[in-house]
Amino acid sequence: MIADTNDIFSLSISLKDILEIKEKRDIFTTPSLDFASHSEELTRITNNVFRFRERLFRLETLNSEMTSVQKLGSIMDMILQSFPDDSPQKNNELTKLLDNYFQNAKKLTRERDMRVAEAVELALEHFNNLTRPPIRRRPISTELKDEFGKEEISISNLNSDNRIYSQHSFDPTLSSKQKAYYSLLRGRLFSVLPEYTRETEENLTKSIKLDPFLFEAWNLLGEHFLKKCDIKQAKMCFDRSLEIGRSFESLRRSALVLRHLDNVETFQNINKSISLCKEAIELDISDFYSWYGLGMSHLKLFFNISKDNKDLRKSMLALNRAESLIKPDKQTCEEIWDLYHNRATLHQYLENFSQSIDDYWKASIYDLSNPCLKEIINVSNFVSEISFAIQKKANIKESTLDAIIKKMKNSRAGSNTKLIMLRLLAEIPHNSSIPQEFIGVDVEGELKAISIFNIMRGAIKVGDEIHFISEKASKDDVFKE
């Protein structure tokens, strides 16, 4: 009987005092007369909302989230060790475990999202109270009760047409730049929600209309268009931000959107992305995002165009550098998850399976609802299948295998001894189309696992005989005869 995962999940953070909203209203005058105090207060509250969201996602603040990943790993190990590699029951048990886990994780994620929405509600109510015309200023509790009744904000009604906080009348004595900054803060508050919201776009658009040189608003609007998968609009925003000033934030964001462009200019876009990341690193060598962007740009260059292993090495070096620059108070859980997940994928391609599984587990810690468990199981099963196939000699009869080896020895007579010959006995299926994986036998009768890269699938198949150069041999050694 496999252990239940329901007891793995727990959430224990309270909203009480988390935003540290000041209750003493007499310290403020009208917004325009006290812009410095108001903007400082609102910036602090906005930052607190982001910190609160991160606290919800960070493992240190959840009673048992770290334990949940460790428990799940222990349960998976128990399953993997309890059944033979070729047992259908093993896969059935793993499937049941994952289904139960993801069902509970989905509930936890929804609860987190609603808690974030509540924090946004509190901050926006306080925001409105500070920036609207003085005639409408009332104590927070009375205002919330009188104006909004018992209706509670949620992610669903934030995205609906009946948006509680979508419209806001600023104090008319504010200047255009002051209103632009306040609109930026409102847009940033809405952007903390996990999905695209029209409120974010409306407030940020209003901000740049009031102050076209507010590059923070252009950057944030571009990031929000990426949530909407509107790459064209995102690129326009980041390009405009670069025109205002070539800060390392604008450079790395422009590099990001260039990596997302898939068109006839892919090669130029990726190379430009690499150049922008390097320029950003020159401005701040300790910036996590610039190093991560450089690693991802080289990775995309390899898979889409170059197929040059130098790009893989450069990608790995940059991702490793980015990992060394992770700061818990700077990077979000999603960003750290992206780093480890992408590096795990790179390790998997390079067939560094142990490192790949390690990185998938690290990624799991930063997103309980998407813990890479299927990837971990796929890699583990793949390695087990290779080991099992070699132990079983690819299910080839001994007499048949001896005949294959004898024929290979005869055909090799007189050939260069540094030329390796293999007969492909079986193909190992896996989820990725690259590379193809085979089990083969050499002239000495030793079974080996072979990975074949950069060739059309089907061009090489079971039964074929392949020849390749030993790592210790040179081309001259092979072709001089």
Side-chain angles (χ1 to χ4, degrees):
M1 182 68 179
I2 301 304
D4 194 357
T5 55
N6 286 316
D7 62 332
I8 293 178
F9 297 89
S10 175
L11 189 64
S12 62
I13 299 175
S14 172
L15 258 179
K16 184 179 180 181
D17 298 328
I18 193 69
L19 301 183
E20 301 175 359
I21 293 176
K22 296 179 181 179
E23 297 294 340
K24 293 183 179 181
R25 315 299 302 160
D26 54 353
I27 64 172
F28 296 115
T29 59
T30 62
S32 60
L33 296 177
D34 198 14
F35 175 75
S37 297
H38 286 180
S39 60
E40 181 181 350
E41 166 73 355
L42 295 174
T43 301
R44 185 181 65 82
I45 294 297
T46 303
N47 291 336
N48 282 348
V49 172
F50 273 84
R51 280 195 290 269
F52 173 68
R53 178 179 181 273
E54 274 307 294
R55 286 186 63 189
L56 283 175
F57 279 83
R58 290 233 173 247
L59 303 182
E60 305 90 61
T61 57
L62 297 179
N63 275 346
S64 59
E65 187 160 342
M66 177 67 79
T67 308
S68 72
V69 176
Q70 293 173 343
K71 267 190 177 181
L72 201 62
S74 299
I75 297 171
M76 286 175 57
D77 287 341
M78 182 180 70
I79 294 173
L80 293 170
Q81 294 172 12
S82 299
F83 301 101
D85 290 332
D86 57 343
S87 171
Q89 190 176 356
K90 179 183 71 172
N91 289 329
N92 291 338
E93 292 290 353
L94 287 171
T95 300
K96 289 178 183 178
L97 175 69
L98 293 182
D99 288 345
N100 189 25
Y101 182 90
F102 285 122
Q103 184 178 0
N104 285 283
K106 187 176 180 180
K107 293 177 182 178
L108 178 60
T109 301
R110 178 62 180 172
E111 182 180 350
R112 287 174 175 173
D113 290 345
M114 295 308 299
R115 300 287 300 283
V116 172
E118 290 172 10
V120 173
E121 175 190 26
L122 262 175
L124 283 170
E125 191 277 332
H126 185 58
F127 189 107
N128 293 345
N129 209 32
L130 284 178
T131 58
R132 63 163 53 98
I135 192 172
R136 298 181 61 187
R137 292 165 64 97
R138 300 193 296 272
I140 289 181
S141 58
T142 305
E143 180 179 307
L144 186 61
K145 180 178 179 182
D146 293 346
E147 189 168 344
F148 306 117
K150 295 182 179 180
E151 185 172 9
E152 294 182 359
I153 198 167
S154 67
I155 292 173
S156 59
N157 62 36
L158 277 173
N159 286 325
S160 68
D161 291 331
N162 300 319
R163 289 161 284 156
I164 297 176
Y165 291 110
S166 60
Q167 303 299 325
H168 178 65
S169 298
F170 287 109
D171 189 321
T173 61
L174 291 169
S175 69
S176 294
K177 286 194 174 183
Q178 288 172 335
K179 291 179 181 178
Y181 184 72
Y182 283 151
S183 296
L184 167 64
L185 289 177
R186 281 176 62 83
R188 187 164 178 253
L189 272 172
F190 279 111
S191 73
V192 76
L193 296 168
E195 67 272 356
Y196 166 86
T197 63
R198 197 183 305 174
E199 290 84 359
T200 306
E201 183 177 342
E202 288 175 350
N203 281 282
L204 294 174
T205 300
K206 184 176 182 179
S207 177
I208 58 179
K209 284 181 178 179
L210 291 167
D211 184 0
F213 297 97
L214 194 57
F215 76 91
E216 296 99 327
W218 284 109
N219 283 335
L220 196 55
L221 183 58
E223 289 183 352
H224 203 61
F225 277 128
L226 287 178
K227 280 187 180 181
K228 194 181 179 182
C229 298
D230 191 338
I231 306 299
K232 183 178 179 181
Q233 287 294 325
K235 184 177 185 302
M236 183 274 293
C237 291
F238 295 138
D239 287 346
R240 177 57 182 146
S241 177
L242 276 180
E243 291 173 6
I244 297 171
R246 297 182 77 81
S247 65
F248 69 89
E249 295 96 336
S250 300
L251 288 165
R252 56 179 167 78
R253 287 185 173 102
S254 294
L256 168 67
V257 78
L258 284 170
R259 290 197 301 275
H260 283 78
L261 290 175
D262 291 316
N263 52 35
V264 293
E265 298 179 344
T266 299
F267 178 72
Q268 292 88 336
N269 289 335
I270 298 177
N271 276 328
K272 187 176 180 181
S273 176
I274 291 173
S275 297
L276 290 174
C277 288
K278 288 181 177 179
E279 185 178 347
I281 290 171
E282 288 178 0
L283 293 175
D284 185 357
I285 197 171
S286 62
D287 181 50
F288 163 89
Y289 303 98
S290 300
W291 283 104
Y292 174 69
L294 182 62
M296 294 307 297
S297 295
H298 277 294
L299 194 60
K300 185 162 186 177
L301 181 62
F302 172 83
F303 282 110
N304 287 53
I305 298 168
S306 72
K307 303 296 188 253
D308 186 344
N309 287 337
K310 289 181 181 178
D311 287 310
L312 287 183
R313 288 194 291 272
K314 290 177 180 178
S315 176
M316 185 66 75
L317 288 171
L319 294 178
N320 291 343
R321 175 63 173 162
E323 181 191 25
S324 70
L325 296 171
I326 291 176
K327 298 177 182 176
D329 60 332
K330 296 290 185 181
Q331 281 70 54
T332 67
C333 290
E334 294 95 327
E335 291 162 349
I336 300 175
W337 184 93
D338 282 341
L339 168 66
Y340 284 125
H341 183 270
N342 285 312
R343 196 174 69 174
T345 304
L346 177 54
H347 276 307
Q348 186 175 347
Y349 177 81
L350 295 172
E351 300 190 323
N352 303 325
F353 296 119
S354 177
Q355 294 96 315
S356 176
I357 290 176
D358 285 345
D359 274 352
Y360 279 132
W361 274 119
K362 289 176 182 177
S364 302
I365 295 174
Y366 289 94
D367 189 350
L368 196 63
S369 63
N370 190 11
C372 309
L373 299 178
K374 291 182 179 179
E375 290 91 338
I376 293 169
I377 291 173
N378 287 338
V379 174
S380 299
N381 284 344
F382 176 66
V383 174
S384 296
E385 286 175 13
I386 291 176
S387 176
F388 183 75
I390 290 176
Q391 289 176 11
K392 296 294 183 180
K393 297 186 177 180
N395 291 324
I396 303 293
K397 291 181 179 179
E398 196 72 33
S399 57
T400 304
L401 195 58
D402 290 341
I404 292 173
I405 296 169
K406 183 178 180 180
K407 184 177 179 180
M408 291 173 63
K409 285 182 177 180
N410 292 335
S411 64
R412 186 182 178 179
S415 298
N416 191 308
T417 56
K418 293 182 179 180
L419 187 68
I420 296 178
M421 303 171 63
L422 288 171
R423 173 67 67 86
L424 303 182
L425 304 177
E427 183 172 3
I428 306 298
H430 58 103
N431 294 332
S432 175
S433 59
I434 302 173
Q436 282 185 271
E437 302 286 346
F438 292 94
I439 301 298
V441 64
D442 63 13
V443 293
E444 305 300 328
E446 184 178 353
L447 271 72
K448 302 177 182 292
I450 308 107
S451 303
I452 300 178
F453 296 80
N454 301 331
I455 193 168
M456 185 181 298
R457 181 166 286 277
I460 295 179
K461 56 187 182 298
V462 173
D464 289 346
E465 190 174 294
I466 61 174
H467 300 180
F468 58 92
I469 304 167
S470 168
E471 292 182 358
K472 297 181 180 180
S474 67
K475 287 186 177 180
D476 290 339
D477 290 330
V478 176
F479 296 111
K480 66 184 179 181
E481 300 176 359

